[in-house]
Amino acid sequence: MEDTLVPIVVVGILFLGLPWIIFHYVTQWKKNGSLTVEDENLLDEMHVLARRLDERLGTLERILDTQDPAWRPRTADRTRDEEWRRDN
């Protein structure tokens, strides 16, 4: 009797328990996979803050360029900065 009970329990765990656990967590993941309203609001605030900081940095760079044109080293990044200024 005990010799047949162990394989039945193992088969039950493998074919019933394990898929149930996997499907349970997959459905939980799909249900909670999207952003909440609070997360979206936080991302919007961070985006606005990043824009403001980017504008401030651009303003400071323009002021420094007018006061001292050689304040930053001449590198390949210079062309990227000039393209950025042209676009904005």
Side-chain angles (χ1 to χ4, degrees):
M1 179 74 180
E2 290 181 19
D3 292 339
T4 59
L5 187 61
V6 173
I8 292 173
V9 170
V10 170
V11 168
I13 289 173
L14 286 176
F15 290 104
L16 296 175
L18 192 59
W20 180 82
I21 290 173
I22 292 171
F23 288 132
H24 170 73
Y25 283 109
V26 165
T27 55
Q28 292 295 320
W29 172 68
K30 286 184 179 181
K31 191 185 326 178
N32 297 329
S34 63
L35 292 176
T36 64
V37 174
E38 294 172 354
D39 291 339
E40 288 181 8
N41 290 339
L42 181 62
L43 282 174
D44 288 339
E45 290 175 14
M46 291 172 60
H47 184 261
V48 168
L49 180 62
R51 285 254 185 212
R52 288 179 53 208
L53 290 173
D54 190 39
E55 290 172 3
R56 287 181 181 178
L57 181 63
T59 302
L60 288 173
E61 286 180 344
R62 282 194 302 276
I63 291 170
L64 286 172
D65 281 339
T66 58
Q67 290 181 354
D68 184 16
W71 69 274
R72 61 175 116 192
R74 304 280 180 192
T75 62
D77 292 337
R78 183 76 173 173
T79 57
R80 185 191 59 179
D81 293 338
E82 289 170 358
E83 289 174 1
W84 180 85
R85 271 193 229 111
R86 229 181 306 125
D87 293 340
N88 292 323

